[in-house]
Amino acid sequence: MFGSRTDNPEQPQRASIGSLLSSLPDLIRRLIRGEIALARAELTAKLKAAGVGLGILAAAGILGFILLEVLIAAAVLGVATALPAWLAALLVAAALLVIVAVLALVGVRALKRGVPPVPEETIKNVKSDVRAMKGESNDPAEERL
């Protein structure tokens, strides 16, 4: 009893296999909860980016509708009067066309960032966790040896 591990404070105590195995379900449960939280955060970010893209595309659609109205007004003014009135309407329509094109390009880019809403980082982490549980290496350099 006098030289046992429990009497020597300098030696770290090791947990028994039984206690390690009994703590395994709790560790797995915490790991799964952590991966779910990561997936939720990743999906939220991607859906937010997609929402911004959809909002910008909606603005481009509204301005596109206004563009159509201005073009119709330009056609009416062009027939009704001489050059100055319809030329002014066409210039306004051209400016709206440029704005619509820019908004549409920005909206498409923002939408592409959020779609598809796949939690890529979480999938990579889960695959790594599965490899670790199987006892496989996570280091690509070790796998080549």
Side-chain angles (χ1 to χ4, degrees):
M1 184 101 180
F2 181 70
S4 71
R5 282 189 206 166
T6 56
D7 292 340
N8 189 352
E10 293 176 13
Q11 252 185 346
Q13 292 186 357
R14 295 185 179 186
S16 68
I17 292 177
S19 66
L20 289 175
L21 287 176
S22 67
S23 67
L24 190 60
D26 183 51
L27 292 173
I28 291 173
R29 187 173 22 258
R30 289 193 336 215
L31 176 67
I32 290 171
R33 285 184 182 151
E35 295 296 347
I36 289 171
L38 178 62
R40 184 178 296 136
E42 197 172 347
L43 283 174
T44 300
K46 287 192 178 244
L47 290 174
K48 190 180 292 185
V52 168
L54 287 173
I56 292 172
L57 283 175
I62 290 169
L63 283 177
F65 181 72
I66 293 170
L67 171 67
L68 180 63
E69 291 175 351
V70 170
L71 287 173
I72 292 170
V76 170
L77 289 174
V79 172
T81 64
L83 182 67
W86 65 267
L87 184 57
L90 282 178
L91 289 175
V92 171
L96 283 173
L97 179 62
V98 170
I99 293 171
V100 167
V102 169
L103 284 175
L105 288 174
V106 170
V108 166
R109 274 197 203 136
L111 187 60
K112 283 183 179 179
R113 270 183 283 173
V115 175
V118 177
E120 296 162 357
E121 192 66 31
T122 303
I123 291 171
K124 189 172 80 174
N125 284 347
V126 169
K127 286 180 180 179
S128 175
D129 294 341
V130 168
R131 281 195 305 270
M133 285 183 181
K134 288 181 177 179
E136 297 174 1
S137 171
N138 285 333
D139 186 14
E142 288 181 16
E143 291 177 2
R144 283 187 238 131
L145 298 177

